[in-house]
Structure formats: C-alpha cells, structure tokens
Amino acid sequence: MPEKILIVGGVALGPKAASRCKRLMPDADVTIVDENVYISYGGCGIPYYVSGEVQNLDDLRATPYHTVRDPEFFRSMKGVTVRNQTKALAIDRQGKTLLVRDVVSGKEEKLPYDKLVLATGASPRVPPVEGKDLHNVLSLTRLEAADAIRTACQEGRINEAVIVGGGFIGLEAAVALADMWGVRVSVVEMMDQILPGVLSRSLARMAAHDCQSHKVDVYTAEKVLRLEGKNGAVSKVITDRRELPAQLVIFAAGFIPNGQLARDAGLDVAPFGGVVVDEHMRTSDPAIYAGGDCVAIKNLITGKPGYLPLGSLANRQGRVIGTNLAGGNAAFTGYVGTWAVKLFGLSFCGAGLTLERARKEGFDAMSVSVEQLDRAHFYPEKEMMSLELVVDKADRRVLGIQGAGPAGDALKARVDAVAGVLQYARPTVEDISNLEIAYAPPFASAMDVVNVVANVADNVLAGRFKPVTGDEFMELWKNRDRNSVFFIDARPAKAGQAMQAEHPEWHSIPLEEMAARIDEVPRDRPVALICNTGLRAYDSLLILARNGITDTVNSTGGMQALNKMGLKP
C-alpha cells in the first residue's frame, strides 16, 4: 500500500520536499495542504515585482522553463496532490491524522498520514499599535499584497510610504518604491542601526547613507506608536519622535515562526517559537518532519539553536526532508547565516557573526576592515570594495565576514568563499590569508581583498598597529580640541593640502615625504593617520614606528570608507 505523506505548507520547502520524495519514491501518495490560493512562489522576488524588474506576477510562480507552478502542474508533472485554500487545524499524533478545513466551504475533515511534514513558515512581526488594521497597511510576504502595492503605485495613489523595519525586506521594499515609482520613502527602525544583527555599525552607516543619498529617509532608534487614517485608509505614522505622512505602510519588522500547530500537538518548540528538529529535520515525533521558516536550526558558529528564515535554506532543507521521506539518510547540519541584499548604489553581503553579535555570544572578538579594488588596480574596469573580518582573539578563529560594494556579484563571490570554509571548518586568520582565490586581472588582484583583510587581522593581532573605523576616526577629529591628537593625511600632496588649507589641524604629510619630515610629527602626542584606503597610512605608520613614534592609530578604509558613510572632516 502506498505510503501516505502529508505536507502542511506549499510555498518553498513543501513543494521541494514533495517533488524530491516523489522522484525517489514514485509510488508514494503525497499531498500538500496550504490555506492560500497561490503556492510554490519565490517570496524573495516580491520586492522586485513591486519595482517592475520582474514584469509579471506569474514569473514568481514559474519554473525556469516558464511553466506556472499551480496545483495542476504538481498533479500532472510531479504526481503530487495539492489542496490549496485548505487550512491545517490540528494534528492527532496517536491516530496519525491531520484535521483540516476548506476555507471556502468551511467543511472539516481528517486526513490520514504515515509521515507528516510541517512547512508552516512564519508570520510578519506586526507591533500591536493602533491603526494597524487600516487600509493600505500591508506586509510584503504574499503575492496579493505585492500586486496591490504595484497597482496603487502605477495609478499614482502612493506619494509617501513608511517602511516599519530596516531589515532585508524593508530595505528592498524602500528601494523598489523610491527607485521605480518615485515614492518618498521613510524607513523606521527601532534598533540603533539598519540591518541589525547581520551588519556591523560602520557598514550599516554605509547602507543608511546609500539610502539617504537616494532620497530615502532612515530613522533609527525610533519606535512607531500608532497609525492614523482618513476614510479608513492610513494617512500618517506617529513615532516617538515625529509624524510621517503615508498613503502606504509596510510592516517589515521581522518574522515569528509559525510553530503553534506543532506546539498544540505536543512537539518540542524553542522559546522563540521555532519547531525543534534534529539534523535529519525530524521533530520530537519521528513520523513528523519540519523545515523552513518555522524551525529552529543550529548555528554552526555558536553551536546554539538559531533562526534564519531564508528561501535558500528552506529549499535545501526541503531536499533533505524529501530524501528522508523516501528512506534516505540526508542531513542538514546547520547554518552560518550567509545573506546578500542590493540597495541603490551599493550591495551588502555577509556570513557568520558581526562583531557585536560575537561579543554577545561570549567571544573575545575584534574586527578589521579594508577598502580595496575588487580587480587588479591596473585593469580599466574596477570598483572599490569594503570588507570586514570578525576574529576571536583567543584562538584567531574567523567568526564572520561582511562587506559592501557597487559590484554585488564580486562582493558575493568573496563572501561565499569564506562562508564555505565557515560551514565545514573552524578557519583561522591564517586559513583566510592563504585562501586560494581565482586570479586574473579582470576578476581579482593577485593578493585578493579576502586575503588582505585576513593579513590586516594578523597585523592587528600581532600588535603591529591599532586600527580605528571611519566613524571612530571622525569622533577623534570632532574632539580634537580636547584629545591633543595629531592628524596626518598620508595621501599625495594635492589631496592632503586641500584639506589642510581648510583645516590647519589637518597635516598633509604624504607617504613619500614621511621619513624626510619626521621631525614635524610630535613625539608627545597621539597620532591618527588616514589616507585614501588605509594602505599608505599603514606604510607611514611603519616609518613612524622605526623612528620611535608608536602611539598611533590608522583609519582602516581611509577616506573611501568615510565617503561611503557620508562623513566628511
């Protein structure tokens, strides 16, 4: 008798698990239950439909060969039954049945199963504020919402919008609305930076400046108190600091895993709501699997249960579950948290832990950053890339990497290289310093930026110099009347002298002149060096050290980093 397999959830993991299972076990009786009309769509592509980069809504539901993945597609092409508009209500683990309700007719019935898969996903986190139920207050997680937003923009009904939350989806929505439709967008984030938890403070300042320079206002450390409306539709957002006009509000303040169905059935659920699974994606009931946005999974850096609702993870976990449903022994060991997001002029990417997160997890962590060209300096086409490495001082273990740059594919290639090592090993600074990177002038430098950022970390750990970030350098500069710091610009004379003419406390001493002009540098004051990227300042620092001047700091990333953060001496 064919094995009955029920899958609750039909967006990402569910269809992947069903299709994989049927390929390996064609005689299985596989049914997907989902309460929505649309199934098997690329939710991460929704902002790009709003922006117009994806032309048709069906493109998000289509295969690479342009067949729409609807219930009939799964029946005829995969041999999988899909019952959409059917809500799962309760699991009877003893009787091995799932109680469901047809959301159109209201009819309830019990579906038997031999194995059950929970792919219930997550719900947008909506703060309990007055006015959240007004018209045009949406979350960008369903195709219906995406279509409504794009239609309203096309018809000119949206002039101002407020995004509540400065994470991936919130920022992608801001870009979509501002870049394509000219909507005046405000992003309100309750944390003290955008992309909290995944990006360092310095890189987050670059992301905020990229948004602000494209007429998207960014308000951090700010809380939404209520929404106000006219004629039933939202018209204004009230925060603890200001009032913002808005004909559209998008809640993008993170997600809450949909673990209640599992909890009600007595399955193990983490305190934050994610269903607990082992590396084979089995729950505490061996007949029930779970995966995707509803589960708690192991963070391979910290070794602790964590949460990362990404479509890429859901698809990989779906394949693992599908294999195991068919009698296999596949494993999903955990995640390192690799991500990417495209804003306006810059893209951002990362893997592993930020400095702030690493310290919260108990690591004695430090970070270093560099600015370097992503291709050979002599190659005509090249872009400046920011890269930051997070390291544990105790054992030189690499804990994470993040970066920013105009060429998103080049940045992603670097981060992916380190992510692969983080996933399967415990790399040290030396491992990344010697990481083999494909070299040709159109693609990279002979000493790639990935190797360079590890070399900088090695120099810092060895005590060869003390780095400061661009925003830390600017704090020193702002407080120059009180801290007695002597500032040196090691760039070529033309650039440095222009700054010195404006600010006499800014001393232009180019690298090439440093040794000859050593007597101009005081020995009884701390010295802060800066150049364009940090390289000339480091070489200058070595000259100073050879002459007995060692109370020095180097602004890593130099003026390039300051410019990306929107800072100016």
Side-chain angles (χ1 to χ4, degrees):
M1 190 173 186
E3 192 164 28
K4 288 188 176 294
I5 295 170
L6 283 182
I7 298 174
V8 182
V11 178
L13 183 138
K16 178 63 71 175
S19 299
R20 174 67 172 171
C21 177
K22 286 291 289 187
R23 282 195 294 271
L24 300 181
M25 193 166 62
D27 61 342
D29 181 358
V30 180
T31 299
I32 296 174
V33 173
D34 193 285
E35 64 182 296
N36 299 299
V37 174
Y38 297 119
I39 60 165
S40 192
Y41 56 85
C44 295
I46 286 176
Y48 304 99
Y49 171 74
V50 172
S51 72
E53 293 169 270
V54 175
Q55 289 296 318
N56 301 306
L57 206 58
D58 279 350
D59 290 343
L60 299 179
R61 304 169 58 212
T63 67
Y65 46 86
H66 308 300
T67 301
V68 173
R69 297 188 297 262
D70 57 12
E72 175 57 25
F73 165 81
F74 280 97
R75 186 196 65 78
S76 61
M77 300 291 291
K78 304 293 184 180
V80 173
T81 300
V82 174
R83 296 185 57 166
N84 59 336
Q85 295 187 281
T86 302
K87 182 178 178 62
L89 300 177
I91 303 167
D92 178 355
R93 290 167 55 196
Q94 290 294 110
K96 283 195 168 183
T97 61
L98 176 71
L99 178 65
V100 300
R101 177 193 299 133
D102 186 305
V103 300
V104 177
S105 68
K107 178 184 176 183
E108 293 186 1
E109 62 180 306
K110 290 185 177 181
L111 305 178
Y113 69 84
D114 296 304
K115 293 175 184 174
L116 177 67
V117 179
L118 301 180
T120 48
S123 298
R125 188 184 300 275
V126 178
V129 295
E130 180 186 344
K132 63 184 178 63
D133 297 321
L134 288 166
H135 187 58
N136 286 341
V137 178
L138 303 166
S139 60
L140 205 57
T141 55
R142 294 189 177 183
L143 298 185
E144 294 90 341
D147 203 29
I149 292 171
R150 179 160 157 178
T151 299
C153 290
Q154 287 174 326
E155 294 175 355
R157 290 186 277 118
I158 308 297
N159 297 311
E160 297 120 340
V162 172
I163 313 294
V164 182
F168 301 134
I169 293 177
L171 294 180
E172 287 172 340
V175 172
L177 292 169
D179 200 32
M180 176 64 185
W181 305 108
V183 174
R184 184 72 190 191
V185 181
S186 299
V187 175
V188 180
E189 168 58 55
M190 68 181 297
M191 304 298 285
D192 60 1
Q193 66 168 77
I194 57 174
L195 294 171
V198 297
L199 204 57
S200 71
R201 295 186 187 279
S202 296
L203 289 171
R205 290 192 72 155
M206 295 182 186
H209 179 62
D210 188 36
C211 291
Q212 290 159 343
S213 62
H214 289 84
K215 298 183 179 179
V216 170
D217 294 322
V218 176
Y219 304 111
T220 56
E222 194 159 332
K223 184 178 181 181
V224 172
L225 300 179
R226 67 182 185 277
L227 311 182
E228 295 182 358
K230 291 181 180 179
N231 301 320
V234 70
S235 62
K236 188 184 298 184
V237 175
I238 311 298
T239 78
D240 54 2
R241 296 190 182 182
R242 72 194 80 240
E243 296 184 0
L244 297 168
Q247 298 84 47
L248 171 69
V249 172
I250 297 176
F251 280 112
F255 293 92
I256 300 171
N258 293 329
Q260 194 61 46
L261 186 67
R263 189 191 302 277
D264 291 343
L267 300 175
D268 290 347
V269 175
F272 59 83
V275 182
V276 175
V277 293
D278 64 14
E279 66 176 15
H280 300 291
M281 307 306 295
R282 284 188 301 251
T283 69
S284 51
D285 183 332
I288 303 177
Y289 293 79
D293 294 359
C294 69
V295 300
I297 49 177
K298 182 181 178 181
N299 184 304
L300 294 173
I301 308 296
T302 67
K304 301 175 183 177
Y307 184 60
L308 190 65
L310 290 178
S312 55
L313 295 190
N315 275 276
R316 298 207 307 274
Q317 292 167 15
R319 181 180 172 87
V320 167
I321 291 173
T323 299
N324 294 338
L325 289 170
N329 192 37
F332 183 89
T333 56
Y335 72 98
V336 296
T338 310
W339 58 271
V341 64
K342 181 182 181 296
L343 299 185
F344 292 94
L346 294 176
S347 295
F348 296 81
C349 192
L353 307 182
T354 64
L355 176 61
E356 295 80 6
R357 174 79 186 281
R359 288 175 173 171
K360 287 180 181 178
E361 292 291 343
F363 293 100
D364 183 17
M366 55 157 261
S367 69
V368 297
S369 58
V370 298
E371 292 279 341
Q372 181 175 307
L373 295 170
D374 58 5
R375 292 160 175 81
H377 66 275
F378 50 80
Y379 191 73
E381 298 174 7
K382 50 189 175 288
E383 299 285 359
M384 194 64 70
M385 182 183 294
S386 310
L387 214 58
E388 182 172 336
L389 198 69
V390 181
V391 178
D392 186 13
K393 297 178 188 176
D395 58 5
R396 303 169 69 88
R397 179 187 174 191
V398 173
L399 304 173
I401 186 169
Q402 303 98 43
D409 52 352
L411 173 65
K412 182 180 180 297
R414 271 61 174 209
V415 170
D416 280 346
V418 177
V421 184
L422 289 172
Q423 186 174 357
Y424 295 107
R426 292 168 61 96
T428 64
V429 168
E430 288 74 18
D431 295 325
I432 305 304
S433 175
N434 290 309
L435 190 65
E436 188 171 336
I437 302 294
Y439 167 63
F443 302 104
S445 299
M447 181 65 79
D448 190 74
V449 59
V450 168
N451 308 122
V452 169
V453 75
N455 293 341
V456 172
D458 176 60
N459 287 333
V460 173
L461 288 168
R464 297 187 183 101
F465 82 103
K466 181 180 178 182
V468 292
T469 60
D471 43 354
E472 290 171 339
F473 179 87
M474 285 301 299
E475 283 301 309
L476 292 175
W477 175 249
K478 289 177 184 176
N479 296 306
R480 59 190 179 276
D481 293 338
R482 299 189 297 276
N483 58 27
S484 75
V485 172
F486 187 82
F487 294 88
I488 295 178
D489 187 336
R491 292 180 297 171
K494 183 177 181 181
Q497 287 175 0
M499 284 294 299
Q500 184 173 312
E502 186 176 352
H503 302 288
E505 307 96 325
W506 186 277
H507 304 93
S508 174
I509 307 180
L511 167 64
E512 296 82 0
E513 302 175 14
M514 192 66 63
R517 297 173 59 183
I518 197 71
D519 290 340
E520 297 180 28
V521 183
R523 296 173 181 270
D524 59 348
R525 296 169 59 185
V527 177
L529 295 106
I530 195 168
C531 63
N532 189 43
T533 64
L535 181 58
R536 290 171 65 91
Y538 179 66
D539 286 340
S540 299
L541 180 150
L542 297 178
I543 294 172
L544 295 179
R546 288 197 296 270
N547 286 272
I549 302 173
T550 58
D551 187 5
T552 57
V553 295
N554 179 7
S555 178
T556 53
M559 297 297 291
Q560 286 288 330
L562 293 186
N563 290 337
K564 286 182 180 177
M565 287 187 272
L567 302 175
K568 188 180 185 300

